[in-house]
Amino acid sequence: MKNYELEIRDFNAVKIIGKKISIKFGGNAKKHVQNYLKNGDGQFLQGLPTRISPDEDLICWMGESNLITKTFSEMPGIFANKNSQVPEGFDAMDIPDCKMAILWIEGSTPSLEKGAHNLLLKHLRDTVYIEDYSLGFSMEYYTSIGFSILDIENPKYKFGYFLPCKKR
């Protein structure tokens, strides 16, 4: 059983800092994300004094779609203050002030991201908002609930899919 909650919020400008990779359409960045988490990059960024995302949360920024090469970029990382310096060897994307649609998904299994984009669009139809692709990105947000802190007796995972939106 999954629970869904759509939130529309005024999203303040942030910088996402992480490690970017190019992926073929239909491809999967799972190995890249696992490497980011295991090789110390994720732990290093969790220690940044300008980090503003909660402890142990992981954000995967997706954007830079290229229809010619049939690729897009994905970058696992953290939210940091918009004026943060980017550590050497890391990448960053500036996310401007915007209206953000967030679909929170809770369930008893970790694969909550599957179909999240289309689910968000479906839930958005019942509001006065539509997707805003002009900013060119979306984000997967893996909370510490389940993904790094798991109650084995009562497994619960919480995942968010973020997409800029605007009024119809």
Side-chain angles (χ1 to χ4, degrees):
M1 176 79 177
K2 293 180 186 173
N3 296 315
Y4 303 98
E5 179 186 339
L6 180 66
E7 175 185 357
I8 307 292
R9 86 162 55 153
D10 291 322
F11 195 81
N12 295 325
V14 296
K15 186 177 297 263
I16 182 165
I17 301 174
K19 289 279 182 118
K20 197 182 328 181
I21 187 172
S22 181
I23 301 169
K24 290 278 187 193
F25 288 169
N28 187 313
K30 191 172 265 189
K31 286 182 184 176
H32 176 63
V33 173
Q34 289 172 348
N35 187 48
Y36 165 86
L37 293 170
K38 289 180 181 174
N39 71 8
D41 289 339
Q43 198 58 39
F44 174 79
L45 291 178
Q46 287 289 322
L48 282 184
T50 58
R51 176 182 55 83
I52 57 176
S53 47
D55 285 348
E56 304 301 323
D57 285 7
L58 170 69
I59 297 96
C60 288
W61 177 92
M62 298 168 292
E64 299 177 335
S65 290
N66 185 319
L67 298 176
I68 295 169
T69 62
K70 297 184 179 168
T71 60
F72 69 97
S73 295
E74 182 161 312
M75 181 172 63
I78 52 101
F79 286 143
N81 180 295
K82 66 181 180 180
N83 299 318
S84 296
Q85 295 296 313
V86 179
E88 188 174 329
F90 288 88
D91 303 297
M93 296 303 296
D94 292 315
I95 298 173
D97 289 335
C98 62
K99 190 66 81 175
M100 189 76 71
I102 305 167
L103 183 63
W104 293 108
I105 306 170
E106 290 186 6
S108 59
T109 62
S111 299
L112 301 175
E113 73 281 359
K114 291 184 169 121
H117 183 89
N118 288 333
L119 281 168
L120 184 145
L121 295 178
K122 180 180 174 185
H123 282 81
L124 207 55
R125 279 188 227 136
D126 297 330
T127 73
V128 298
Y129 293 94
I130 59 172
E131 62 277 7
D132 182 0
Y133 292 122
S134 70
L135 295 177
F137 74 91
S138 62
M139 294 180 287
E140 295 178 343
Y141 191 105
Y142 298 86
T143 71
S144 62
I145 299 169
F147 295 100
S148 62
I149 302 168
L150 181 62
D151 178 353
I152 299 298
E153 300 297 318
N154 185 23
K156 182 179 179 182
Y157 296 83
K158 185 173 182 181
F159 168 84
Y161 190 82
F162 290 48
L163 183 67
C165 64
K166 60 186 177 185
K167 286 205 171 183
R168 293 180 190 276

